[in-house]
Amino acid sequence: MAEERTVMRTQLPTSAESQNPQLKKALEFPILEKQNWLIHLHYIHKDYEACKAVIKEQLRETQGLCEYALYVQALIFRLEGNIQDSLELFQTCAVLSPQCADNLKQVARSLFLLGKHKAATEVYNEAAKLNQKDWEICHNLGVCYIYLKQFNKARDQLHHALHLNRHDLTYIMLGKIHLLEGNLDKAIEIYKKAVEFSPENTELLTTLGLLYLQLGIYQKAFEYLGNALTYDPTNYKAILAAGSMMQTHGDFDVALTKYRIVACAVPESPPLWNNIGMCFFGKKKYVAAISCLKRANYLAPFDWKILYNLGLVHLTMQQYASAFHFLSAAINFQPKMAELYMLLAVALTNLEDTENAKRAYAEAVHLDKCNPLVNLNYAVLLYNQGQKREALAQYQEMEKKVNLLKDSSSLEFDSEMVEVAQKLGAALHVGEALVWTKPAKDSRSQHRTTSASKAACFQQPLGSNQALGQAMSSAAAYRKLPSERGEGREKEERNIDE
Amino acid sequence: MAAAPSSDTDSGRGESKEASSKWLDAHYDPMANIHTFSSCLALADLHGDGEYKLVVGDLGPSGQQSCLKVLQGPKVLTESPLPALPAAAATFLMDQHEPRTPALALASGPCVYVYKNLRPYFKFSLPHLPLNPLEQDLWNQAKEDRIDPLTLKEMLEGIREKAEVPLSVQSLRFLQLELSEMEAFVNQHKAKTLKRQTVITTMTTLKKNLADEDAVSCLVLGTENKELLVLDPEAFTVLAKMSLPSVPVFLEVSGQFDVEFRLAAACRNGNICILRRDSKGPKYCIELSAQPVGLVRVHKVLVVGSTQDSLHGFTHKGKKLWTVQMPAAILTMNLMEQRARGLQAVMAGLANGEVRIYRDKTLLDVIRTPDAVTSLCFGRYGREDNTLIATTRGGGLMIKILKRTAVFADGGGEVGPPPAQATKLNVPRKTRLYVDQTLREREAGIGPGPGPHLQAHTAPAEHLDSPPHPGAAGLLPVRGGALRPAPGLLQGPLVGARAQLPPGDLCGESQ
C-alpha cells in the first residue's frame, strides 16, 4: 500500500494547498474511523457476513480501539440473539467514550432484553443526564416501567417522550398501558390521537377497530378496519375482524372471499379456520363446516370456542353423541358458561338422558343472567316431562329476561324462539302477556338451539340473521356480560399477541 | 387446485416478457466483477466527446483491491488502482475554462482525489482536527522526559473521562499498553507530532451560483467528525462548515451555494437533518424509527428508505407525507430523471431481485433482475439517454435502456384485490367412510344404547365438583403455544374418561 501511495504522489504535479503531504507516510497509526462508513453501509444493507469481515479487519488493525466497529459488532450479536456478548461489547464502547449517550442507551437496552429492567432504568437515567431531550430514552424508560408494573411512572415518561417527538411506537405503548389497566376509553382516545398523527399506520387502525368492536360500537369499528384494509389488503387481524362482522350480517360469501386472502398468508391459524367453518355452517354446508372446525381444533385443542362450535354443528347434524363429547370438553375449559350447559342439556335430551339433561339445565339457569333461551328450553323440557309447574316457573323467568332485554337494547329475537315461546305460553295457559315486539329469526322447535340466540342476546344486531352458529371468531365475539369481562380481555390479549 | 392467476395481475405487474417491458436489455454480465455502492457511480462526459462514460469506484470483491474503473459501453476503458476504499465518487465542473469537461472527484479516506481527463489533478486532504491542549502539553513533557509513563497514563485517562475533545490515536494506543511496553512506546513516539485526522463518509455536488446544467459546482463533504464541509471548486478552500448531531451517511442538496440551498443529511443515528444556508446546525430533524437506507430528493419531497422495508416521503420541513411498504429489504435507492418528459421518480433496489420505481406513492414499474441489485444509476450513457445501470450483489453489471415509447402511466403497479383472493380455500375433504359413520351415529345414537353408558360419567354437576381434567388443567396456562397433539390422540385424553361410547360410533376419520 505504501508503494502505491508514493506512486500516487509522484504523479501529482506540485499543487498549492495539499496540506501536509507527509501525512500518509508519517502516520503510523491508521485512522481509527477509516472504514466506519463501510461497516455502516453493510449493516444497513443487512449484509452481516461482509460487515463482520470488515469489523474483524478493522479491530485487528486498530487493536480494538475502533469504537464504531465494536458498536456494530454488538448490534449484530444482538440481532443474532447473543445478548450477553452484546452487552459486554457495549460496555467496552461506553468505556472507550464515556461522554457518548448512545453507548449507555445501548447498554440499557441490552439489560432490558436480558430482563433486568431495574438495572436498565438506572442506566437510562444516567444516559438522560448526558442528553436531556432524547425521546428514545424517555420512551424506553416508559417501556421498562411498564415491565416493572409501575404504570404511573411509565405514563409520565411516555407522555414526556410524546412531547419531545411524536412517534407511533410511543402511542402504541401508551395505549397498551391503558389497556393493561383496563381503561378502554382512554386507550381509544390515545389511539385516535395516534391515528390523527399517522393516518396510514395499519396497526393503529386495526387496534382501534378492535377496541371499538370490543365496546360494541360497530359502525366505527368497521370504518377503521376498512381503512386498515385499504392501506394493506392482506392485514390478518383486520380481515379476521371484518370477516367476522360480515358473518354476523349474514354475508358469508363475501366473508369467505376475504378469508381466502389470509388463508394464503397464514394457513395455520385456528381462529381463521373457526370462522371459515362457521361461514360454511351459515351456508348450510355442514360437512365442510365440520372439516374446517376439526382443523381449527387440531391447531388449537384448548380453545373452547372451537369445541363449542363443533358441538353445535354436530347437534345440527343430529350426531348427539359427538356433540356431547365436544361440549363436555368445552365445559372443561369454560365451566361458568350457561350456553354450554344448555347445549349439553339439548344433546342429553336427544340422547334420552333426561335426568342429566335436567341437571345440566339447572346448572345453566343458575349460571345464566340474561339469556331467555336457556329458560325457554328448560321450560320446554319440563313441560314435555309433564312438570307443568316448574315449566311455568321457567317460563316466567324467561319473560322477565325478555322484558329486560327489550328495554335495554334493540334486540331482535329469533323467530323460532318466539314461535316456540308462544306455543308454550298457550300450552301453559299463560296467555299473550308477553309481547315480542321484534320480528324474529328462526329456530327449531326441538329445543335444539342455535347460538343465534346467543347472537340475539350478546351480539348486536347488525341485521337479521338466520340460524347459525355464531361466528365465534376470536377477533369478535366479545362478551359483554360483566362476569365475562375478564375473558373478553383474554381474547383481546390473544388477538394483540397474534 | 391452483387457480389460474387473473389477467389483471399480469398486465399491471412487472414484466418479464420483453414485448411488454418498458426496458431494453442492453447488457448483462454476471462476471463483471464490479462491487460498489450507488454513491460511487457517476455518469459524465469525461473526454468532452459527447459520449458519456460511467465512472465506478470499485471496492473489489472483498473490499481489498479497490480501483477506479471507467466504462464505455459494455467495456472497461481504464482501470487504475486506488490507495484506499472509495467512499463516494462525483463528477462536477470545476471552472469556466475551455474545454468544459467535468472533473472527477473521488473521496477516499481523509482525501479527495480530483482527476481531470482521467489524469490525477489534485489531492485535497481534510484539515486536521484540533488537538486537546492538555494532551499536547503532556506529550511535550514526555518529549522532554519530564514525566514518567505511569503518570502520563493516569493523566491521559483523566482526560479521556471528561474532555470534550477526544484523544489522538497515539494516546489511545498508549493507554492500552502493558506497563513494560510503555517506556519503549514513549521513547519511540515522543518526537512525533500528534495528529487527529478524520475521514470522509459521503460526498455530493452543489451548484455554486447558477442552476444550469453546466454551471460550476462545489463539493460538499460529510466527515466522520459529524461535520459538513463545502469546498470551493477552483481553490479547494473550505467555504462553509456545518455541524450535525451525528455522522452523515447520505446527502441530498438543492439550490445554489451563493444564493440559497437546502441540504438533507441522513445520519447514523437514524435522523435526517435538514440544513439551510448560513445555519451552523440543522434546522429541522426528522426522526425515523429505523436506520435510513437511502435518501432521494424528488421535486420538493424527500424520499427516505428505511431498514423496516418501507419508503417514506417527507416535506422539506420534516412532515411525513406518505409511507409505502416494500416486499423485501431495500438495498439502494437513486433518482430517476427523464428530462424529456419531466419525470422524476425514485428507484429502489430490493433484496428479492426487484427494482421498483415509484413516483410518490404510486408504483410505476417493477424490473426483475436475476440477482439483488446493490447500486443503481440512471442517466445518459454513451449516446443514449435514459439508461439504467445497475450492479448486483455477485459483482455483475446490468445495463438497461428505457424504450422511447415507454410511458409510465399511473397505476401501472398492483391494483385490484390481492391475487390470493382467487385461490380457493383448501378445505379438507371427508371420505365416504366418515359420512357412513355419521349416519350410523345418528341411527344408533337415539335409543337406550349410549344413554346408560353416559350417565355414569356425565352428570353435569360433577363437572363442577370433580377436579378438572388433569390434561386440561396441567396445560391450560399455556396459551396458543405450539402444542400439536397427534391427530389420533386428539380425542383420547380429553374425553376418554367421559364418554365411553362404543368405539365405532365416534366420527373416527383421521385428520
Side-chain angles (χ1 to χ4, degrees), chain A residues 1 36-37 45-46 61 63 99 135 165 260-261 268 294 319 322 324 363, chain B residues 83 86 161 173 176 224 287 307 331 421 423 441-442 458-459 464 484 511:
Chain A
M1 272 272 228
N36 281 3
W37 61 273
H45 289 169
K46 305 194 185 173
E61 250 188 72
Q63 293 182 5
Q99 297 289 324
W135 83 271
N165 206 331
R260 279 187 199 164
I261 303 174
E268 303 218 341
K294 284 257 174 92
Q319 293 177 256
S322 310
F324 172 81
E363 191 59 38
Chain B
E161 288 293 311
R173 276 284 173 82
Q176 276 192 311
E224 187 78 34
E287 276 187 17
T307 47
L331 293 182
Q421 202 163 305
T423 49
E441 179 186 344
R442 255 183 259 198
T458 61
L464 298 178
R484 300 275 160 96
Q511 270 293 24

mmCIF file of all heavy atoms in Angstrom, chain A residues 1 36-37 45-46 61 63 99 135 165 260-261 268 294 319 322 324 363, chain B residues 83 86 161 173 176 224 287 307 331 421 423 441-442 458-459 464 484 511:
data_model
loop_
_atom_site.group_PDB
_atom_site.id
_atom_site.type_symbol
_atom_site.label_atom_id
_atom_site.label_comp_id
_atom_site.label_asym_id
_atom_site.label_seq_id
_atom_site.Cartn_x
_atom_site.Cartn_y
_atom_site.Cartn_z
ATOM 1 N N MET A 1 0.861 -1.208 0.000
ATOM 2 C CA MET A 1 0.000 0.000 0.000
ATOM 3 C C MET A 1 0.882 1.239 0.000
ATOM 4 O O MET A 1 0.590 2.208 -0.663
ATOM 5 C CB MET A 1 -0.868 0.048 1.266
ATOM 6 C CG MET A 1 -2.173 -0.677 1.113
ATOM 7 S SD MET A 1 -3.443 0.372 0.466
ATOM 8 C CE MET A 1 -4.767 0.015 1.592
ATOM 9 N N ASN A 36 -15.425 3.105 8.933
ATOM 10 C CA ASN A 36 -16.722 3.133 9.610
ATOM 11 C C ASN A 36 -17.860 3.212 8.627
ATOM 12 O O ASN A 36 -18.891 2.569 8.788
ATOM 13 C CB ASN A 36 -16.804 4.348 10.548
ATOM 14 C CG ASN A 36 -16.065 4.099 11.833
ATOM 15 O OD1 ASN A 36 -15.461 3.060 12.004
ATOM 16 N ND2 ASN A 36 -16.132 5.063 12.742
ATOM 17 N N TRP A 37 -17.682 4.034 7.572
ATOM 18 C CA TRP A 37 -18.773 4.206 6.610
ATOM 19 C C TRP A 37 -19.090 2.884 5.920
ATOM 20 O O TRP A 37 -20.246 2.559 5.659
ATOM 21 C CB TRP A 37 -18.411 5.277 5.580
ATOM 22 C CG TRP A 37 -17.200 4.950 4.758
ATOM 23 C CD1 TRP A 37 -15.905 5.214 5.072
ATOM 24 C CD2 TRP A 37 -17.175 4.261 3.516
ATOM 25 N NE1 TRP A 37 -15.075 4.729 4.100
ATOM 26 C CE2 TRP A 37 -15.827 4.152 3.121
ATOM 27 C CE3 TRP A 37 -18.157 3.739 2.675
ATOM 28 C CZ2 TRP A 37 -15.437 3.541 1.941
ATOM 29 C CZ3 TRP A 37 -17.766 3.124 1.499
ATOM 30 C CH2 TRP A 37 -16.421 3.018 1.148
ATOM 31 N N HIS A 45 -27.497 -2.597 4.856
ATOM 32 C CA HIS A 45 -27.921 -3.499 3.791
ATOM 33 C C HIS A 45 -28.195 -4.896 4.325
ATOM 34 O O HIS A 45 -28.468 -5.805 3.562
ATOM 35 C CB HIS A 45 -26.838 -3.588 2.714
ATOM 36 C CG HIS A 45 -26.725 -2.328 1.927
ATOM 37 N ND1 HIS A 45 -25.696 -2.077 1.057
ATOM 38 C CD2 HIS A 45 -27.495 -1.226 1.882
ATOM 39 C CE1 HIS A 45 -25.853 -0.884 0.520
ATOM 40 N NE2 HIS A 45 -26.926 -0.342 1.003
ATOM 41 N N LYS A 46 -28.068 -5.068 5.617
ATOM 42 C CA LYS A 46 -28.296 -6.348 6.273
ATOM 43 C C LYS A 46 -27.358 -7.427 5.758
ATOM 44 O O LYS A 46 -27.686 -8.606 5.757
ATOM 45 C CB LYS A 46 -29.748 -6.807 6.086
ATOM 46 C CG LYS A 46 -30.710 -5.739 6.566
ATOM 47 C CD LYS A 46 -32.112 -6.242 6.728
ATOM 48 C CE LYS A 46 -32.982 -5.058 7.086
ATOM 49 N NZ LYS A 46 -34.361 -5.270 7.140
ATOM 50 N N GLU A 61 -6.603 -4.139 12.885
ATOM 51 C CA GLU A 61 -5.695 -3.053 12.536
ATOM 52 C C GLU A 61 -5.561 -2.017 13.640
ATOM 53 O O GLU A 61 -4.490 -1.481 13.870
ATOM 54 C CB GLU A 61 -6.245 -2.332 11.297
ATOM 55 C CG GLU A 61 -5.433 -2.559 10.073
ATOM 56 C CD GLU A 61 -5.929 -1.668 8.947
ATOM 57 O OE1 GLU A 61 -5.707 -0.451 9.011
ATOM 58 O OE2 GLU A 61 -6.550 -2.231 8.036
ATOM 59 N N GLN A 63 -6.220 -2.476 16.762
ATOM 60 C CA GLN A 63 -6.038 -3.139 18.054
ATOM 61 C C GLN A 63 -7.207 -2.879 18.994
ATOM 62 O O GLN A 63 -7.018 -2.545 20.150
ATOM 63 C CB GLN A 63 -4.732 -2.666 18.694
ATOM 64 C CG GLN A 63 -3.555 -3.145 17.896
ATOM 65 C CD GLN A 63 -2.252 -2.732 18.520
ATOM 66 O OE1 GLN A 63 -2.218 -2.164 19.610
ATOM 67 N NE2 GLN A 63 -1.179 -3.030 17.840
ATOM 68 N N GLN A 99 -18.507 9.926 27.205
ATOM 69 C CA GLN A 99 -19.437 11.038 27.110
ATOM 70 C C GLN A 99 -20.567 10.747 26.145
ATOM 71 O O GLN A 99 -21.421 11.576 25.915
ATOM 72 C CB GLN A 99 -18.702 12.292 26.613
ATOM 73 C CG GLN A 99 -17.632 12.760 27.551
ATOM 74 C CD GLN A 99 -18.237 13.359 28.795
ATOM 75 O OE1 GLN A 99 -19.265 14.009 28.734
ATOM 76 N NE2 GLN A 99 -17.625 13.116 29.915
ATOM 77 N N TRP A 135 -36.088 11.538 22.924
ATOM 78 C CA TRP A 135 -37.359 10.838 23.073
ATOM 79 C C TRP A 135 -37.127 9.353 23.260
ATOM 80 O O TRP A 135 -37.887 8.665 23.942
ATOM 81 C CB TRP A 135 -38.271 11.090 21.874
ATOM 82 C CG TRP A 135 -37.986 10.191 20.721
ATOM 83 C CD1 TRP A 135 -37.103 10.436 19.723
ATOM 84 C CD2 TRP A 135 -38.532 8.902 20.476
ATOM 85 N NE1 TRP A 135 -37.086 9.384 18.864
ATOM 86 C CE2 TRP A 135 -37.941 8.424 19.299
ATOM 87 C CE3 TRP A 135 -39.466 8.102 21.129
ATOM 88 C CZ2 TRP A 135 -38.260 7.179 18.765
ATOM 89 C CZ3 TRP A 135 -39.780 6.852 20.587
ATOM 90 C CH2 TRP A 135 -39.177 6.410 19.414
ATOM 91 N N ASN A 165 -41.115 14.281 20.826
ATOM 92 C CA ASN A 165 -41.211 13.901 19.424
ATOM 93 C C ASN A 165 -42.265 12.822 19.259
ATOM 94 O O ASN A 165 -42.212 11.812 19.929
ATOM 95 C CB ASN A 165 -39.868 13.344 18.982
ATOM 96 C CG ASN A 165 -39.684 13.533 17.519
ATOM 97 O OD1 ASN A 165 -40.652 13.553 16.766
ATOM 98 N ND2 ASN A 165 -38.453 13.652 17.087
ATOM 99 N N ARG A 260 -60.033 -16.040 2.179
ATOM 100 C CA ARG A 260 -59.096 -16.709 1.263
ATOM 101 C C ARG A 260 -57.766 -15.988 1.252
ATOM 102 O O ARG A 260 -56.710 -16.615 1.130
ATOM 103 C CB ARG A 260 -59.642 -16.675 -0.147
ATOM 104 C CG ARG A 260 -60.647 -17.716 -0.423
ATOM 105 C CD ARG A 260 -60.991 -17.702 -1.876
ATOM 106 N NE ARG A 260 -62.236 -18.374 -2.095
ATOM 107 C CZ ARG A 260 -62.936 -18.279 -3.183
ATOM 108 N NH1 ARG A 260 -62.493 -17.501 -4.158
ATOM 109 N NH2 ARG A 260 -64.057 -18.920 -3.314
ATOM 110 N N ILE A 261 -57.829 -14.656 1.335
ATOM 111 C CA ILE A 261 -56.580 -13.890 1.279
ATOM 112 C C ILE A 261 -55.678 -14.266 2.446
ATOM 113 O O ILE A 261 -54.492 -14.504 2.300
ATOM 114 C CB ILE A 261 -56.878 -12.387 1.349
ATOM 115 C CG1 ILE A 261 -57.815 -11.988 0.242
ATOM 116 C CG2 ILE A 261 -55.597 -11.587 1.269
ATOM 117 C CD1 ILE A 261 -58.252 -10.570 0.329
ATOM 118 N N GLU A 268 -52.180 -21.557 9.061
ATOM 119 C CA GLU A 268 -52.401 -22.404 10.233
ATOM 120 C C GLU A 268 -52.927 -21.596 11.396
ATOM 121 O O GLU A 268 -52.354 -21.598 12.479
ATOM 122 C CB GLU A 268 -51.088 -23.072 10.614
ATOM 123 C CG GLU A 268 -50.508 -23.880 9.488
ATOM 124 C CD GLU A 268 -49.877 -25.154 9.967
ATOM 125 O OE1 GLU A 268 -49.569 -25.225 11.169
ATOM 126 O OE2 GLU A 268 -49.717 -26.046 9.144
ATOM 127 N N LYS A 294 -62.726 -29.013 12.596
ATOM 128 C CA LYS A 294 -61.813 -30.041 13.107
ATOM 129 C C LYS A 294 -60.370 -29.595 12.915
ATOM 130 O O LYS A 294 -59.503 -29.819 13.759
ATOM 131 C CB LYS A 294 -62.037 -31.365 12.374
ATOM 132 C CG LYS A 294 -63.271 -32.102 12.815
ATOM 133 C CD LYS A 294 -62.920 -33.248 13.729
ATOM 134 C CE LYS A 294 -64.136 -33.910 14.302
ATOM 135 N NZ LYS A 294 -64.600 -35.029 13.508
ATOM 136 N N GLN A 319 -75.913 -35.574 15.391
ATOM 137 C CA GLN A 319 -74.937 -36.530 15.942
ATOM 138 C C GLN A 319 -74.770 -36.189 17.415
ATOM 139 O O GLN A 319 -73.799 -35.538 17.810
ATOM 140 C CB GLN A 319 -73.608 -36.414 15.220
ATOM 141 C CG GLN A 319 -73.697 -36.852 13.775
ATOM 142 C CD GLN A 319 -72.382 -36.653 13.059
ATOM 143 O OE1 GLN A 319 -72.222 -35.724 12.279
ATOM 144 N NE2 GLN A 319 -71.434 -37.513 13.340
ATOM 145 N N SER A 322 -71.502 -37.280 19.489
ATOM 146 C CA SER A 322 -70.303 -36.485 19.216
ATOM 147 C C SER A 322 -70.459 -35.088 19.793
ATOM 148 O O SER A 322 -69.532 -34.528 20.369
ATOM 149 C CB SER A 322 -70.068 -36.365 17.718
ATOM 150 O OG SER A 322 -70.133 -37.621 17.119
ATOM 151 N N PHE A 324 -72.132 -34.243 22.289
ATOM 152 C CA PHE A 324 -71.937 -34.327 23.723
ATOM 153 C C PHE A 324 -70.462 -34.290 24.072
ATOM 154 O O PHE A 324 -70.043 -33.583 24.993
ATOM 155 C CB PHE A 324 -72.568 -35.631 24.221
ATOM 156 C CG PHE A 324 -72.238 -35.873 25.635
ATOM 157 C CD1 PHE A 324 -72.945 -35.233 26.620
ATOM 158 C CD2 PHE A 324 -71.166 -36.671 25.976
ATOM 159 C CE1 PHE A 324 -72.617 -35.408 27.929
ATOM 160 C CE2 PHE A 324 -70.832 -36.853 27.287
ATOM 161 C CZ PHE A 324 -71.558 -36.224 28.263
ATOM 162 N N GLU A 363 -78.038 -26.213 36.017
ATOM 163 C CA GLU A 363 -76.755 -25.506 36.095
ATOM 164 C C GLU A 363 -76.745 -24.292 35.187
ATOM 165 O O GLU A 363 -76.305 -23.205 35.564
ATOM 166 C CB GLU A 363 -75.651 -26.494 35.690
ATOM 167 C CG GLU A 363 -74.273 -26.008 35.962
ATOM 168 C CD GLU A 363 -74.065 -25.705 37.424
ATOM 169 O OE1 GLU A 363 -74.596 -26.464 38.266
ATOM 170 O OE2 GLU A 363 -73.422 -24.699 37.704
ATOM 171 N N PRO B 83 -5.596 3.986 -3.606
ATOM 172 C CA PRO B 83 -4.891 3.714 -2.356
ATOM 173 C C PRO B 83 -5.798 3.268 -1.215
ATOM 174 O O PRO B 83 -5.379 2.578 -0.321
ATOM 175 C CB PRO B 83 -4.242 5.061 -2.009
ATOM 176 C CG PRO B 83 -5.047 6.068 -2.743
ATOM 177 C CD PRO B 83 -5.548 5.403 -3.975
ATOM 178 N N PRO B 86 -12.881 3.724 -1.950
ATOM 179 C CA PRO B 86 -13.602 4.952 -2.286
ATOM 180 C C PRO B 86 -14.927 5.028 -1.553
ATOM 181 O O PRO B 86 -15.706 4.080 -1.584
ATOM 182 C CB PRO B 86 -13.833 4.819 -3.792
ATOM 183 C CG PRO B 86 -13.857 3.361 -4.046
ATOM 184 C CD PRO B 86 -12.988 2.717 -3.024
ATOM 185 N N GLU B 161 -11.837 10.588 30.343
ATOM 186 C CA GLU B 161 -13.111 10.549 31.051
ATOM 187 C C GLU B 161 -13.952 11.765 30.771
ATOM 188 O O GLU B 161 -15.141 11.681 30.556
ATOM 189 C CB GLU B 161 -12.850 10.509 32.569
ATOM 190 C CG GLU B 161 -12.321 9.205 33.087
ATOM 191 C CD GLU B 161 -13.329 8.093 32.985
ATOM 192 O OE1 GLU B 161 -14.471 8.316 33.409
ATOM 193 O OE2 GLU B 161 -12.998 7.042 32.462
ATOM 194 N N ARG B 173 -3.616 4.452 21.898
ATOM 195 C CA ARG B 173 -2.796 3.244 21.823
ATOM 196 C C ARG B 173 -1.966 3.082 23.081
ATOM 197 O O ARG B 173 -1.806 1.996 23.625
ATOM 198 C CB ARG B 173 -1.837 3.325 20.634
ATOM 199 C CG ARG B 173 -2.405 2.902 19.333
ATOM 200 C CD ARG B 173 -2.508 1.394 19.261
ATOM 201 N NE ARG B 173 -3.212 0.991 18.062
ATOM 202 C CZ ARG B 173 -2.662 0.889 16.888
ATOM 203 N NH1 ARG B 173 -1.382 1.177 16.729
ATOM 204 N NH2 ARG B 173 -3.376 0.512 15.858
ATOM 205 N N GLN B 176 -3.523 1.602 26.083
ATOM 206 C CA GLN B 176 -3.847 0.181 26.053
ATOM 207 C C GLN B 176 -2.681 -0.702 26.450
ATOM 208 O O GLN B 176 -2.860 -1.904 26.599
ATOM 209 C CB GLN B 176 -4.200 -0.213 24.632
ATOM 210 C CG GLN B 176 -5.618 0.049 24.258
ATOM 211 C CD GLN B 176 -5.891 -0.636 22.961
ATOM 212 O OE1 GLN B 176 -5.120 -0.503 22.008
ATOM 213 N NE2 GLN B 176 -6.945 -1.398 22.903
ATOM 214 N N GLU B 224 -16.504 12.055 9.236
ATOM 215 C CA GLU B 224 -16.754 11.200 10.371
ATOM 216 C C GLU B 224 -16.812 12.025 11.651
ATOM 217 O O GLU B 224 -17.268 11.537 12.685
ATOM 218 C CB GLU B 224 -15.612 10.177 10.460
ATOM 219 C CG GLU B 224 -15.785 9.096 11.473
ATOM 220 C CD GLU B 224 -16.728 8.000 11.048
ATOM 221 O OE1 GLU B 224 -16.765 7.678 9.846
ATOM 222 O OE2 GLU B 224 -17.423 7.458 11.908
ATOM 223 N N GLU B 287 -36.980 12.324 12.777
ATOM 224 C CA GLU B 287 -36.512 11.126 13.464
ATOM 225 C C GLU B 287 -37.203 9.920 12.894
ATOM 226 O O GLU B 287 -38.416 9.793 12.983
ATOM 227 C CB GLU B 287 -36.833 11.239 14.956
ATOM 228 C CG GLU B 287 -35.787 12.013 15.699
ATOM 229 C CD GLU B 287 -36.036 11.961 17.195
ATOM 230 O OE1 GLU B 287 -36.795 11.081 17.632
ATOM 231 O OE2 GLU B 287 -35.488 12.808 17.888
ATOM 232 N N THR B 307 -34.750 0.755 7.073
ATOM 233 C CA THR B 307 -34.445 -0.668 7.194
ATOM 234 C C THR B 307 -35.669 -1.467 7.593
ATOM 235 O O THR B 307 -35.624 -2.679 7.666
ATOM 236 C CB THR B 307 -33.352 -0.924 8.247
ATOM 237 O OG1 THR B 307 -33.674 -0.193 9.419
ATOM 238 C CG2 THR B 307 -32.000 -0.518 7.744
ATOM 239 N N LEU B 331 -32.084 -2.193 -0.651
ATOM 240 C CA LEU B 331 -30.627 -2.180 -0.630
ATOM 241 C C LEU B 331 -30.072 -0.836 -1.080
ATOM 242 O O LEU B 331 -29.053 -0.383 -0.599
ATOM 243 C CB LEU B 331 -30.079 -3.277 -1.535
ATOM 244 C CG LEU B 331 -30.353 -4.698 -1.066
ATOM 245 C CD1 LEU B 331 -29.732 -5.685 -2.016
ATOM 246 C CD2 LEU B 331 -29.805 -4.916 0.320
ATOM 247 N N GLN B 421 -56.798 -13.780 -3.314
ATOM 248 C CA GLN B 421 -58.238 -13.925 -3.193
ATOM 249 C C GLN B 421 -58.778 -14.922 -4.195
ATOM 250 O O GLN B 421 -59.850 -15.471 -4.013
ATOM 251 C CB GLN B 421 -58.896 -12.567 -3.442
ATOM 252 C CG GLN B 421 -60.266 -12.495 -2.837
ATOM 253 C CD GLN B 421 -60.704 -11.060 -2.729
ATOM 254 O OE1 GLN B 421 -60.035 -10.225 -2.155
ATOM 255 N NE2 GLN B 421 -61.847 -10.774 -3.306
ATOM 256 N N THR B 423 -57.375 -17.769 -5.073
ATOM 257 C CA THR B 423 -57.119 -19.195 -4.809
ATOM 258 C C THR B 423 -58.179 -19.710 -3.844
ATOM 259 O O THR B 423 -58.523 -19.062 -2.870
ATOM 260 C CB THR B 423 -55.753 -19.396 -4.163
ATOM 261 O OG1 THR B 423 -55.648 -18.477 -3.072
ATOM 262 C CG2 THR B 423 -54.639 -19.129 -5.134
ATOM 263 N N GLU B 441 -73.999 -43.072 13.465
ATOM 264 C CA GLU B 441 -74.155 -42.459 14.783
ATOM 265 C C GLU B 441 -75.573 -41.947 14.966
ATOM 266 O O GLU B 441 -76.174 -42.084 16.023
ATOM 267 C CB GLU B 441 -73.161 -41.307 14.957
ATOM 268 C CG GLU B 441 -73.337 -40.661 16.330
ATOM 269 C CD GLU B 441 -72.483 -39.431 16.512
ATOM 270 O OE1 GLU B 441 -71.534 -39.244 15.721
ATOM 271 O OE2 GLU B 441 -72.782 -38.663 17.433
ATOM 272 N N ARG B 442 -76.053 -41.354 13.900
ATOM 273 C CA ARG B 442 -77.395 -40.793 14.006
ATOM 274 C C ARG B 442 -78.410 -41.858 14.334
ATOM 275 O O ARG B 442 -79.289 -41.682 15.166
ATOM 276 C CB ARG B 442 -77.785 -40.152 12.682
ATOM 277 C CG ARG B 442 -77.734 -38.664 12.722
ATOM 278 C CD ARG B 442 -78.189 -38.124 11.430
ATOM 279 N NE ARG B 442 -77.023 -37.738 10.671
ATOM 280 C CZ ARG B 442 -77.081 -36.911 9.642
ATOM 281 N NH1 ARG B 442 -78.221 -36.460 9.223
ATOM 282 N NH2 ARG B 442 -75.997 -36.590 9.004
ATOM 283 N N THR B 458 -71.353 -38.509 33.285
ATOM 284 C CA THR B 458 -71.554 -37.192 32.713
ATOM 285 C C THR B 458 -72.493 -36.273 33.442
ATOM 286 O O THR B 458 -72.944 -35.298 32.880
ATOM 287 C CB THR B 458 -72.123 -37.339 31.301
ATOM 288 O OG1 THR B 458 -73.368 -38.022 31.436
ATOM 289 C CG2 THR B 458 -71.187 -38.135 30.447
ATOM 290 N N ALA B 459 -72.830 -36.594 34.648
ATOM 291 C CA ALA B 459 -73.721 -35.678 35.356
ATOM 292 C C ALA B 459 -73.063 -34.304 35.401
ATOM 293 O O ALA B 459 -71.969 -34.154 35.903
ATOM 294 C CB ALA B 459 -73.951 -36.195 36.766
ATOM 295 N N LEU B 464 -68.495 -29.709 37.897
ATOM 296 C CA LEU B 464 -68.025 -28.638 38.773
ATOM 297 C C LEU B 464 -67.238 -29.184 39.949
ATOM 298 O O LEU B 464 -66.227 -28.634 40.328
ATOM 299 C CB LEU B 464 -69.213 -27.840 39.306
ATOM 300 C CG LEU B 464 -70.019 -27.143 38.241
ATOM 301 C CD1 LEU B 464 -71.189 -26.447 38.893
ATOM 302 C CD2 LEU B 464 -69.154 -26.153 37.507
ATOM 303 N N ARG B 484 -49.076 -29.382 19.383
ATOM 304 C CA ARG B 484 -49.747 -30.019 18.268
ATOM 305 C C ARG B 484 -49.894 -31.493 18.571
ATOM 306 O O ARG B 484 -49.022 -32.281 18.236
ATOM 307 C CB ARG B 484 -48.913 -29.849 17.000
ATOM 308 C CG ARG B 484 -48.679 -28.404 16.635
ATOM 309 C CD ARG B 484 -49.834 -27.873 15.834
ATOM 310 N NE ARG B 484 -49.886 -26.424 15.867
ATOM 311 C CZ ARG B 484 -49.372 -25.652 14.937
ATOM 312 N NH1 ARG B 484 -48.744 -26.208 13.922
ATOM 313 N NH2 ARG B 484 -49.472 -24.355 15.034
ATOM 314 N N GLN B 511 -57.545 -36.944 10.631
ATOM 315 C CA GLN B 511 -57.448 -35.566 10.116
ATOM 316 C C GLN B 511 -56.865 -35.556 8.728
ATOM 317 O O GLN B 511 -55.700 -35.690 8.550
ATOM 318 C CB GLN B 511 -56.566 -34.749 11.059
ATOM 319 C CG GLN B 511 -57.354 -34.094 12.161
ATOM 320 C CD GLN B 511 -58.281 -33.020 11.658
ATOM 321 O OE1 GLN B 511 -58.706 -32.992 10.523
ATOM 322 N NE2 GLN B 511 -58.609 -32.116 12.496
#
